Amino acid sequence: MNRRNAYLITAALALFSVSPALAAPAVDHNREFQACLTLAEKRPAEALESAQTWLNRGGGDHARLCQALALFHKGDFTTAGARLEELAPVLGKDDPKAGASILGRAGWAWLRAGDNVRAERAYSRALALQPDDVDLLIDRAIARAETERFWDAVADLDAALAKDPRRPEAYLYRAAAHKALANDRQAMADIDRALELRPGDPDALLLRANIKAQAGNLPGAREDWSQIVRNTPNSAAAKTAQANLDRSAKAPAPAAKGDAKGAAAPAKP
């Protein structure tokens, strides 16, 4: 499943500014910070150099934060996760929302690094600061599902949907967890709800097709796979759907590709 909208730190970070103690007449630290964030996403190697120059001019922990984000976008997820966790209590000391935002990105870094245990730990620390944050609940559910703690993932998604019942990705992650728990009826109900909110979603159709195929409804599965290929031919789901269609043409009851865990794997921000 595509994690369409990973927890974005930039909007949250924009809510807090550089401390006046960092201010120096020759440097506009707020402007440096925003420029560095933008550069970190587009050209992370340059952002690392820029952040180091800014750090030498008094950028302090905000310059270090930009370095950590540049490392994330550069693909050094382990180093980024560790640095973000170190910075969260410092920069979030007087702003729980900022601290939770930084820990949320640390969790995503650990997920990308393949360390799901540290990812869950970071998300739990973030939720201790912002317990009603729906994005953090969804992201922790992903970390829990990656370690096959599906009931714990369902609990997080239940909480997220109780707070915001119009989150199609939450229904889809919960459907994948229920499929892994062999609760296909609940999985199908969640898929139906996800498709009501996001009609034609290829990941939802792929998961539904796989459930149909495993239940012996191959014509129904083929219909969903064909719809994915027809409507979203360039998607990752379409590649899997086409492979399943090819396999189903050779055997009357093929094993569906893309299990629940694979379908629920997060995408990068």
Side-chain angles (χ1 to χ4, degrees):
M1 181 197 306
N2 222 349
R3 170 76 168 106
R4 299 25 39 248
N5 195 12
Y7 189 65
L8 297 178
I9 196 172
T10 306
L13 290 176
L15 297 177
F16 71 92
S17 59
V18 180
S19 166
L22 292 175
V27 181
D28 184 338
H29 290 290
N30 283 319
R31 187 169 66 181
E32 288 281 351
F33 183 56
Q34 295 302 325
C36 195
L37 286 182
T38 301
L39 192 61
E41 288 193 38
K42 296 179 178 178
R43 298 192 297 277
E46 290 182 34
L48 282 171
E49 296 180 9
S50 177
Q52 184 60 53
T53 300
W54 179 31
L55 184 63
N56 295 338
R57 300 178 68 199
D61 289 320
H62 287 81
R64 295 184 181 91
L65 176 59
C66 186
Q67 287 178 326
L69 292 172
L71 288 166
F72 177 92
H73 289 290
K74 196 168 181 284
D76 189 350
F77 301 119
T78 298
T79 305
R83 291 195 184 184
L84 288 164
E85 284 194 300
E86 291 172 1
L87 288 165
V90 179
L91 292 173
K93 180 176 60 175
D94 300 317
D95 188 342
K97 188 172 184 178
S101 177
I102 295 168
L103 285 167
R105 180 48 67 98
W108 199 255
W110 289 122
L111 271 181
R112 298 293 303 277
D115 193 334
N116 302 312
V117 173
R118 290 194 71 168
E120 181 182 352
R121 191 181 307 153
Y123 287 132
S124 294
R125 287 175 61 195
L127 282 162
L129 298 173
Q130 295 286 288
D132 294 329
D133 191 300
V134 172
D135 291 293
L136 289 172
L137 285 166
I138 293 173
D139 285 345
R140 188 172 68 176
I142 293 172
R144 289 176 162 181
E146 286 295 314
T147 56
E148 300 187 359
R149 292 171 52 202
F150 297 112
W151 281 118
D152 289 333
V154 167
D156 274 347
L157 294 164
D158 285 346
L161 288 166
K163 298 175 190 304
D164 185 354
R166 297 191 61 80
R167 296 295 292 268
E169 74 274 28
Y171 286 106
L172 193 47
Y173 291 134
R174 193 170 69 177
H178 278 303
K179 179 181 182 296
L181 293 164
N183 188 357
D184 288 353
R185 180 177 297 180
Q186 183 59 54
M188 291 294 273
D190 280 342
I191 292 169
D192 288 344
R193 183 63 176 136
L195 286 168
E196 287 176 12
L197 294 168
R198 189 182 289 159
D201 180 82
D203 296 307
L205 290 171
L206 179 62
L207 185 56
R208 187 173 74 178
N210 291 345
I211 293 174
K212 287 178 179 179
Q214 289 177 0
N217 180 9
L218 198 54
R222 286 180 178 140
E223 183 179 337
D224 283 340
W225 289 328
S226 296
Q227 183 178 341
I228 294 167
V229 173
R230 184 171 60 252
N231 294 343
T232 56
N234 296 320
S235 66
K239 183 178 180 180
T240 301
Q242 185 61 63
N244 285 342
L245 283 168
D246 293 343
R247 293 181 65 194
S248 70
K250 300 174 184 177
K257 275 191 176 182
D259 61 15
K261 183 179 175 183
K268 341 357 55 269

